[in-house]
Amino acid sequence: MLLRGGTSKGAYFLADDVPSDPDARDELLLRVMGSPDHTQIDGLGGAHPLTSKVAIVSPSALPGVDIDYLFLQVTVDEALVSTAQTCGNLLAGVGPFAVERGLVPAGSGTTTVRIRLVNTGDIATAVFPSHDGRVEYDGDTAIDGVPGTAGRIELEVTAAAGKHLLPTGRVADEVVGHRATLIDNGMPVVLLDAAEFGVTGDETPAELEGRTELAAQLEEVRLAAGRLMGLGDVTAQTVPKMFLLSPPRSGGAVSTRAFIPHRVHTSIGVLMAASVAAGIRIPGAVGAEMAALPDGDGPTLIEHPGGTMPAEVTVHQDDAGTWHAASRSVRTARKIFDGRVFPRPRL
Ligand code: NQM
């Protein structure tokens, strides 16, 4: 089934319908999506990382959890499939897909699905509208980056036990001569001050993608940051995501441009926004000094190239001084197509 999840689009499969061997599965998914080819003309992929995504869904064996969701990022122009990150946007489509495939019964009014994010171990609760045994995709919720309105999907994500919000244990690090905050509130990201890179923060994604020197600088920081975050050699990985932060321009808390990690996001990922929102709430972190935080409990509005993403994030420091965070966000999703895919016969 092809669904839009938030501001991304992906192919959703039941685990039983794809090979269980990871190599055979990845090879099949490359052929399904039409990779490697920068146009993905011969497959389902949309020639951008945001539309070259796969969700594999199965019933969960974990007590209190309904569904296991494994995310795969299929690289557009290389024969690479990565499980090193999850995707909070495709997460929005997982509950509806589970109902569509009969893994979870639709509730009357709303359906609640507890989902294990297999890639990270984090647990999500998704609540979305449903009536007469069906998912209600229509509704009046608008999200920036998607035309029109659709049914409201509430997502709450809690970190797996033992995970560290600040993987280096520090609020800021010096990485290749730049002050950086390395933070993971669902998605490992590197927060940088845009001004240090000659970026004002109102550039379009295409403008930033055209700056090869900037890309090289960020990649150097990313490779070093990946090691510091315990992710190892991230050369062939899609994490950490690189964030250039600047003061807000349109009433939000902070303005962002995200390298994911080489293309520039046209908006922002859900869990990326959760990580940024947590970071700018921690005194001393990169971005905290320029952030205009809302009074009280309102959502933190993260500005991005396509508008604003509200992220409801709380942070707290325990007695040992360790920072923790929790996050909630609102997305929409839509079933676009259901059917049988015919993969290319060979790579
Ligand atoms: O951060 C893009 C997206 C994402 C990830 C990417 C995401 C998230 O916007 O939660 O959703 O990782 O390249 O779909």
PDB file of all heavy atoms in Angstrom, residues 12-21 25 28-29 54-60 68 70 97 101-103:
ATOM      1  N   TYR A  12       4.165   0.672   2.089  1.00  0.00           N
ATOM      2  CA  TYR A  12       3.969  -0.057   3.350  1.00  0.00           C
ATOM      3  C   TYR A  12       3.704  -1.523   2.992  1.00  0.00           C
ATOM      4  O   TYR A  12       2.846  -1.829   2.153  1.00  0.00           O
ATOM      5  CB  TYR A  12       2.766   0.507   4.119  1.00  0.00           C
ATOM      6  CG  TYR A  12       2.994   1.884   4.712  1.00  0.00           C
ATOM      7  CD1 TYR A  12       3.193   2.999   3.904  1.00  0.00           C
ATOM      8  CD2 TYR A  12       2.982   2.072   6.097  1.00  0.00           C
ATOM      9  CE1 TYR A  12       3.388   4.258   4.462  1.00  0.00           C
ATOM     10  CE2 TYR A  12       3.177   3.335   6.658  1.00  0.00           C
ATOM     11  CZ  TYR A  12       3.385   4.427   5.836  1.00  0.00           C
ATOM     12  OH  TYR A  12       3.571   5.676   6.373  1.00  0.00           O
ATOM     13  N   PHE A  13       4.434  -2.411   3.665  1.00  0.00           N
ATOM     14  CA  PHE A  13       4.284  -3.845   3.436  1.00  0.00           C
ATOM     15  C   PHE A  13       4.016  -4.554   4.758  1.00  0.00           C
ATOM     16  O   PHE A  13       4.532  -4.142   5.805  1.00  0.00           O
ATOM     17  CB  PHE A  13       5.582  -4.449   2.893  1.00  0.00           C
ATOM     18  CG  PHE A  13       5.944  -4.022   1.499  1.00  0.00           C
ATOM     19  CD1 PHE A  13       6.787  -2.942   1.294  1.00  0.00           C
ATOM     20  CD2 PHE A  13       5.474  -4.722   0.392  1.00  0.00           C
ATOM     21  CE1 PHE A  13       7.148  -2.554   0.012  1.00  0.00           C
ATOM     22  CE2 PHE A  13       5.831  -4.339  -0.887  1.00  0.00           C
ATOM     23  CZ  PHE A  13       6.667  -3.259  -1.087  1.00  0.00           C
ATOM     24  N   LEU A  14       3.295  -5.673   4.681  1.00  0.00           N
ATOM     25  CA  LEU A  14       3.258  -6.584   5.819  1.00  0.00           C
ATOM     26  C   LEU A  14       4.559  -7.365   5.798  1.00  0.00           C
ATOM     27  O   LEU A  14       5.057  -7.737   4.719  1.00  0.00           O
ATOM     28  CB  LEU A  14       2.082  -7.557   5.684  1.00  0.00           C
ATOM     29  CG  LEU A  14       0.692  -6.971   5.917  1.00  0.00           C
ATOM     30  CD1 LEU A  14      -0.359  -8.049   5.642  1.00  0.00           C
ATOM     31  CD2 LEU A  14       0.561  -6.435   7.340  1.00  0.00           C
ATOM     32  N   ALA A  15       5.104  -7.644   6.974  1.00  0.00           N
ATOM     33  CA  ALA A  15       6.391  -8.353   7.042  1.00  0.00           C
ATOM     34  C   ALA A  15       6.315  -9.695   6.319  1.00  0.00           C
ATOM     35  O   ALA A  15       7.279 -10.123   5.682  1.00  0.00           O
ATOM     36  CB  ALA A  15       6.790  -8.552   8.507  1.00  0.00           C
ATOM     37  N   ASP A  16       5.145 -10.359   6.383  1.00  0.00           N
ATOM     38  CA  ASP A  16       5.013 -11.673   5.744  1.00  0.00           C
ATOM     39  C   ASP A  16       5.094 -11.597   4.222  1.00  0.00           C
ATOM     40  O   ASP A  16       5.263 -12.617   3.563  1.00  0.00           O
ATOM     41  CB  ASP A  16       3.655 -12.297   6.105  1.00  0.00           C
ATOM     42  CG  ASP A  16       3.677 -12.854   7.520  1.00  0.00           C
ATOM     43  OD1 ASP A  16       4.781 -12.933   8.092  1.00  0.00           O
ATOM     44  OD2 ASP A  16       2.596 -13.193   8.035  1.00  0.00           O
ATOM     45  N   ASP A  17       4.945 -10.409   3.659  1.00  0.00           N
ATOM     46  CA  ASP A  17       4.940 -10.269   2.194  1.00  0.00           C
ATOM     47  C   ASP A  17       6.305  -9.926   1.613  1.00  0.00           C
ATOM     48  O   ASP A  17       6.416  -9.731   0.396  1.00  0.00           O
ATOM     49  CB  ASP A  17       3.919  -9.195   1.765  1.00  0.00           C
ATOM     50  CG  ASP A  17       2.493  -9.668   1.971  1.00  0.00           C
ATOM     51  OD1 ASP A  17       2.293 -10.905   2.074  1.00  0.00           O
ATOM     52  OD2 ASP A  17       1.590  -8.826   2.039  1.00  0.00           O
ATOM     53  N   VAL A  18       7.318  -9.787   2.472  1.00  0.00           N
ATOM     54  CA  VAL A  18       8.671  -9.520   1.964  1.00  0.00           C
ATOM     55  C   VAL A  18       9.617 -10.570   2.559  1.00  0.00           C
ATOM     56  O   VAL A  18       9.309 -11.153   3.605  1.00  0.00           O
ATOM     57  CB  VAL A  18       9.166  -8.084   2.313  1.00  0.00           C
ATOM     58  CG1 VAL A  18       8.356  -7.037   1.584  1.00  0.00           C
ATOM     59  CG2 VAL A  18       9.162  -7.845   3.806  1.00  0.00           C
ATOM     60  N   PRO A  19      10.758 -10.817   1.909  1.00  0.00           N
ATOM     61  CA  PRO A  19      11.677 -11.833   2.454  1.00  0.00           C
ATOM     62  C   PRO A  19      12.133 -11.470   3.858  1.00  0.00           C
ATOM     63  O   PRO A  19      12.323 -10.287   4.161  1.00  0.00           O
ATOM     64  CB  PRO A  19      12.879 -11.781   1.494  1.00  0.00           C
ATOM     65  CG  PRO A  19      12.380 -11.126   0.243  1.00  0.00           C
ATOM     66  CD  PRO A  19      11.262 -10.208   0.661  1.00  0.00           C
ATOM     67  N   SER A  20      12.327 -12.485   4.720  1.00  0.00           N
ATOM     68  CA  SER A  20      12.795 -12.183   6.073  1.00  0.00           C
ATOM     69  C   SER A  20      14.319 -11.980   6.087  1.00  0.00           C
ATOM     70  O   SER A  20      14.843 -11.291   6.957  1.00  0.00           O
ATOM     71  CB  SER A  20      12.374 -13.273   7.058  1.00  0.00           C
ATOM     72  OG  SER A  20      12.798 -14.508   6.548  1.00  0.00           O
ATOM     73  N   ASP A  21      15.023 -12.558   5.107  1.00  0.00           N
ATOM     74  CA  ASP A  21      16.463 -12.345   5.021  1.00  0.00           C
ATOM     75  C   ASP A  21      16.736 -10.891   4.615  1.00  0.00           C
ATOM     76  O   ASP A  21      16.256 -10.433   3.578  1.00  0.00           O
ATOM     77  CB  ASP A  21      17.058 -13.305   3.974  1.00  0.00           C
ATOM     78  CG  ASP A  21      18.506 -12.958   3.687  1.00  0.00           C
ATOM     79  OD1 ASP A  21      19.303 -13.031   4.623  1.00  0.00           O
ATOM     80  OD2 ASP A  21      18.818 -12.569   2.544  1.00  0.00           O
ATOM     81  N   ARG A  25      15.583  -9.004   1.189  1.00  0.00           N
ATOM     82  CA  ARG A  25      14.559  -7.950   1.354  1.00  0.00           C
ATOM     83  C   ARG A  25      15.045  -6.626   0.738  1.00  0.00           C
ATOM     84  O   ARG A  25      14.332  -5.997  -0.041  1.00  0.00           O
ATOM     85  CB  ARG A  25      14.283  -7.771   2.852  1.00  0.00           C
ATOM     86  CG  ARG A  25      13.349  -6.643   3.209  1.00  0.00           C
ATOM     87  CD  ARG A  25      13.532  -6.242   4.651  1.00  0.00           C
ATOM     88  NE  ARG A  25      14.829  -5.647   4.867  1.00  0.00           N
ATOM     89  CZ  ARG A  25      15.457  -5.586   6.047  1.00  0.00           C
ATOM     90  NH1 ARG A  25      14.905  -6.079   7.111  1.00  0.00           N
ATOM     91  NH2 ARG A  25      16.650  -5.027   6.144  1.00  0.00           N
ATOM     92  N   LEU A  28      15.104  -6.695  -3.023  1.00  0.00           N
ATOM     93  CA  LEU A  28      13.736  -6.576  -3.565  1.00  0.00           C
ATOM     94  C   LEU A  28      13.245  -5.127  -3.481  1.00  0.00           C
ATOM     95  O   LEU A  28      12.679  -4.590  -4.440  1.00  0.00           O
ATOM     96  CB  LEU A  28      12.786  -7.495  -2.778  1.00  0.00           C
ATOM     97  CG  LEU A  28      11.301  -7.324  -3.127  1.00  0.00           C
ATOM     98  CD1 LEU A  28      11.015  -7.828  -4.534  1.00  0.00           C
ATOM     99  CD2 LEU A  28      10.406  -8.038  -2.124  1.00  0.00           C
ATOM    100  N   LEU A  29      13.511  -4.479  -2.340  1.00  0.00           N
ATOM    101  CA  LEU A  29      12.998  -3.104  -2.167  1.00  0.00           C
ATOM    102  C   LEU A  29      13.664  -2.129  -3.137  1.00  0.00           C
ATOM    103  O   LEU A  29      13.020  -1.192  -3.617  1.00  0.00           O
ATOM    104  CB  LEU A  29      13.170  -2.648  -0.711  1.00  0.00           C
ATOM    105  CG  LEU A  29      12.332  -3.432   0.292  1.00  0.00           C
ATOM    106  CD1 LEU A  29      12.609  -2.961   1.707  1.00  0.00           C
ATOM    107  CD2 LEU A  29      10.833  -3.332  -0.017  1.00  0.00           C
ATOM    108  N   VAL A  54      10.245   3.045   2.971  1.00  0.00           N
ATOM    109  CA  VAL A  54       9.462   1.810   3.116  1.00  0.00           C
ATOM    110  C   VAL A  54       9.178   1.562   4.600  1.00  0.00           C
ATOM    111  O   VAL A  54      10.049   1.787   5.446  1.00  0.00           O
ATOM    112  CB  VAL A  54      10.237   0.606   2.517  1.00  0.00           C
ATOM    113  CG1 VAL A  54       9.553  -0.706   2.849  1.00  0.00           C
ATOM    114  CG2 VAL A  54      10.384   0.762   0.993  1.00  0.00           C
ATOM    115  N   ALA A  55       7.969   1.109   4.881  1.00  0.00           N
ATOM    116  CA  ALA A  55       7.598   0.681   6.238  1.00  0.00           C
ATOM    117  C   ALA A  55       7.219  -0.791   6.183  1.00  0.00           C
ATOM    118  O   ALA A  55       6.435  -1.195   5.313  1.00  0.00           O
ATOM    119  CB  ALA A  55       6.411   1.503   6.741  1.00  0.00           C
ATOM    120  N   ILE A  56       7.783  -1.579   7.084  1.00  0.00           N
ATOM    121  CA  ILE A  56       7.418  -2.997   7.174  1.00  0.00           C
ATOM    122  C   ILE A  56       6.758  -3.216   8.535  1.00  0.00           C
ATOM    123  O   ILE A  56       7.320  -2.872   9.575  1.00  0.00           O
ATOM    124  CB  ILE A  56       8.652  -3.884   6.959  1.00  0.00           C
ATOM    125  CG1 ILE A  56       9.108  -3.678   5.506  1.00  0.00           C
ATOM    126  CG2 ILE A  56       8.322  -5.342   7.226  1.00  0.00           C
ATOM    127  CD1 ILE A  56      10.274  -4.491   5.079  1.00  0.00           C
ATOM    128  N   VAL A  57       5.559  -3.763   8.460  1.00  0.00           N
ATOM    129  CA  VAL A  57       4.680  -3.772   9.633  1.00  0.00           C
ATOM    130  C   VAL A  57       4.288  -5.208   9.982  1.00  0.00           C
ATOM    131  O   VAL A  57       3.997  -6.011   9.089  1.00  0.00           O
ATOM    132  CB  VAL A  57       3.424  -2.911   9.316  1.00  0.00           C
ATOM    133  CG1 VAL A  57       2.374  -3.052  10.390  1.00  0.00           C
ATOM    134  CG2 VAL A  57       3.844  -1.452   9.142  1.00  0.00           C
ATOM    135  N   SER A  58       4.291  -5.511  11.279  1.00  0.00           N
ATOM    136  CA  SER A  58       3.879  -6.851  11.722  1.00  0.00           C
ATOM    137  C   SER A  58       3.306  -6.746  13.135  1.00  0.00           C
ATOM    138  O   SER A  58       3.548  -5.760  13.833  1.00  0.00           O
ATOM    139  CB  SER A  58       5.081  -7.802  11.716  1.00  0.00           C
ATOM    140  OG  SER A  58       6.131  -7.233  12.469  1.00  0.00           O
ATOM    141  N   PRO A  59       2.550  -7.768  13.566  1.00  0.00           N
ATOM    142  CA  PRO A  59       2.070  -7.750  14.950  1.00  0.00           C
ATOM    143  C   PRO A  59       3.274  -7.810  15.882  1.00  0.00           C
ATOM    144  O   PRO A  59       4.282  -8.431  15.558  1.00  0.00           O
ATOM    145  CB  PRO A  59       1.242  -9.039  15.067  1.00  0.00           C
ATOM    146  CG  PRO A  59       0.990  -9.481  13.664  1.00  0.00           C
ATOM    147  CD  PRO A  59       2.112  -8.967  12.826  1.00  0.00           C
ATOM    148  N   SER A  60       3.173  -7.168  17.033  1.00  0.00           N
ATOM    149  CA  SER A  60       4.309  -7.140  17.963  1.00  0.00           C
ATOM    150  C   SER A  60       4.167  -8.221  19.027  1.00  0.00           C
ATOM    151  O   SER A  60       3.063  -8.514  19.479  1.00  0.00           O
ATOM    152  CB  SER A  60       4.400  -5.780  18.653  1.00  0.00           C
ATOM    153  OG  SER A  60       5.540  -5.751  19.478  1.00  0.00           O
ATOM    154  N   ASP A  68       4.799  -3.830  15.340  1.00  0.00           N
ATOM    155  CA  ASP A  68       6.218  -3.522  15.123  1.00  0.00           C
ATOM    156  C   ASP A  68       6.333  -2.814  13.773  1.00  0.00           C
ATOM    157  O   ASP A  68       5.751  -3.278  12.774  1.00  0.00           O
ATOM    158  CB  ASP A  68       7.059  -4.803  15.059  1.00  0.00           C
ATOM    159  CG  ASP A  68       7.384  -5.343  16.444  1.00  0.00           C
ATOM    160  OD1 ASP A  68       7.047  -4.673  17.444  1.00  0.00           O
ATOM    161  OD2 ASP A  68       7.968  -6.436  16.509  1.00  0.00           O
ATOM    162  N   LEU A  70       9.181  -1.426  11.161  1.00  0.00           N
ATOM    163  CA  LEU A  70      10.575  -1.312  10.735  1.00  0.00           C
ATOM    164  C   LEU A  70      10.620  -0.340   9.560  1.00  0.00           C
ATOM    165  O   LEU A  70       9.884  -0.508   8.582  1.00  0.00           O
ATOM    166  CB  LEU A  70      11.107  -2.684  10.298  1.00  0.00           C
ATOM    167  CG  LEU A  70      12.528  -2.670   9.713  1.00  0.00           C
ATOM    168  CD1 LEU A  70      13.564  -2.348  10.788  1.00  0.00           C
ATOM    169  CD2 LEU A  70      12.863  -4.016   9.062  1.00  0.00           C
ATOM    170  N   PHE A  97      -2.441   1.822   8.424  1.00  0.00           N
ATOM    171  CA  PHE A  97      -2.118   0.639   7.615  1.00  0.00           C
ATOM    172  C   PHE A  97      -2.430  -0.637   8.407  1.00  0.00           C
ATOM    173  O   PHE A  97      -2.950  -1.611   7.860  1.00  0.00           O
ATOM    174  CB  PHE A  97      -0.640   0.679   7.206  1.00  0.00           C
ATOM    175  CG  PHE A  97      -0.178  -0.536   6.448  1.00  0.00           C
ATOM    176  CD1 PHE A  97      -0.608  -0.764   5.144  1.00  0.00           C
ATOM    177  CD2 PHE A  97       0.685  -1.450   7.032  1.00  0.00           C
ATOM    178  CE1 PHE A  97      -0.177  -1.886   4.438  1.00  0.00           C
ATOM    179  CE2 PHE A  97       1.119  -2.577   6.339  1.00  0.00           C
ATOM    180  CZ  PHE A  97       0.684  -2.798   5.029  1.00  0.00           C
ATOM    181  N   ARG A 101      -5.029  -3.581   7.174  1.00  0.00           N
ATOM    182  CA  ARG A 101      -4.634  -4.984   6.965  1.00  0.00           C
ATOM    183  C   ARG A 101      -5.211  -5.912   8.040  1.00  0.00           C
ATOM    184  O   ARG A 101      -4.861  -7.090   8.109  1.00  0.00           O
ATOM    185  CB  ARG A 101      -3.105  -5.099   6.959  1.00  0.00           C
ATOM    186  CG  ARG A 101      -2.450  -4.518   5.697  1.00  0.00           C
ATOM    187  CD  ARG A 101      -2.747  -5.384   4.462  1.00  0.00           C
ATOM    188  NE  ARG A 101      -2.033  -4.903   3.294  1.00  0.00           N
ATOM    189  CZ  ARG A 101      -2.576  -4.147   2.340  1.00  0.00           C
ATOM    190  NH1 ARG A 101      -3.845  -3.791   2.428  1.00  0.00           N
ATOM    191  NH2 ARG A 101      -1.871  -3.762   1.291  1.00  0.00           N
ATOM    192  N   GLY A 102      -6.068  -5.364   8.906  1.00  0.00           N
ATOM    193  CA  GLY A 102      -6.758  -6.206   9.888  1.00  0.00           C
ATOM    194  C   GLY A 102      -5.892  -6.613  11.075  1.00  0.00           C
ATOM    195  O   GLY A 102      -6.234  -7.537  11.805  1.00  0.00           O
ATOM    196  N   LEU A 103      -4.765  -5.934  11.303  1.00  0.00           N
ATOM    197  CA  LEU A 103      -3.905  -6.282  12.448  1.00  0.00           C
ATOM    198  C   LEU A 103      -4.420  -5.669  13.738  1.00  0.00           C
ATOM    199  O   LEU A 103      -4.107  -6.139  14.834  1.00  0.00           O
ATOM    200  CB  LEU A 103      -2.460  -5.809  12.218  1.00  0.00           C
ATOM    201  CG  LEU A 103      -1.731  -6.320  10.976  1.00  0.00           C
ATOM    202  CD1 LEU A 103      -0.297  -5.813  10.950  1.00  0.00           C
ATOM    203  CD2 LEU A 103      -1.743  -7.840  10.939  1.00  0.00           C
TER     204      LEU A 103
END
